[in-house]
Amino acid sequence: MGASARLLRAVIMGAPGSGKGTVSSRITTHFELKHLSSGDLLRGNMLRGTGFPRTLPQAEALHRAYQIDTVINLNVPFEVIKQRLTARWIHPASGRVYNIEFNPPKTVGIDDLTGEPLIQREDDKPETVIKRLKAYEDQTKPVLEYYQKKGVLETFSGTETNKIWPYVYAFLQTKVPQRSQKASVTP
C-alpha cells in the first residue's frame, strides 16, 4: 500500500439530540477530516448531523459503495435526550433562544428584554420529541443490527457528550492519524 494513509470510512449514528453534531465537529478538530470522509455526500451529512443512513436499504447501498470500516453509535437514554430537546424556548419576535438548563430566562416563560411570553417550537414539544425518538428507534434498529452482523458497530453509551467523547476519541486514535500531537482529549 506504500506510504499513503488508508482511509477510514466511518458513520456516526445516534438519535436526534444525542450529540452527533458535537462529536462530528470534535472529530474534525482532532483528526484529519479527509481520513473520515466517505465522499462528499457523507461528509455533508456528517457535518450536518443528519444521521444517514437511516434505513436498512440505505445502509446496504452505502456499504456496497464504500465498505464502511466503523460505525460509531451514540447511545444516549431517551429520557436524557427528551430533557435536552424540550429545554429550548424561543422569543418569536426577536428569535432569542433560551435553554432551561444552560441559558434560562430570568423569569420562566418570559423574554428577558421585552417581558413577552416565550414559545416552544412544535419540534421541541415533549410529545413531538417522543414521536421523533420512537421513529428513529424503529427505523434504525435494523440498521444497527446490520452493522453489528458486519462486525463494524462500536456503541458508546452515556448521558453527556463530554463523558462519551474521551471513549470515542480513544477508539479513533487506534484507527486514524491525529491532526497534531498537541490535540488533546478535552473538547
Side-chain angles (χ1 to χ4, degrees), residues 144-157:
L144 294 172
E145 285 167 358
Y146 171 76
Y147 285 129
Q148 182 79 53
K149 282 193 197 107
K150 291 258 178 236
V152 295
L153 185 67
E154 289 289 331
T155 296
F156 298 89
S157 301

Side-chain angles (χ1 to χ4, degrees), residues 164-179:
I164 294 174
W165 168 246
Y167 296 99
V168 174
Y169 179 82
F171 168 71
L172 284 173
Q173 268 187 310
T174 67
K175 306 244 175 215
V176 192
Q178 278 177 273
R179 193 170 274 250

